[in-house]
Amino acid sequence: MKRSEFALAVEQEFGPGYGEVVVNDVVLVGLGNRTAREALAAGAAPRDVWFALCEATDVPEARRHGVGRPDPGERASR
């Protein structure tokens, strides 16, 4: 997962406004008690951050895989 795919996945799951709040405020215990933004800045893989964020926010398993990719023929917005 690329960072642009992470950003798209967050936006698709949480919405553009609340997604920013989740990335900036939810502490991810499994990633050293850092927020998603801090974990990414420290070099954590976007995929690992995505799964930790999903775990922390109770995103159903069915919506954790394959997200963040633009529809075929579309470019990612980030």
Side-chain angles (χ1 to χ4, degrees), residues 36-61:
R37 181 153 329 281
E38 292 168 337
L40 289 168
R47 180 181 170 93
D48 295 339
V49 177
W50 170 248
F51 285 129
L53 195 59
C54 288
E55 185 68 29
T57 59
D58 296 323
V59 171
E61 188 75 29

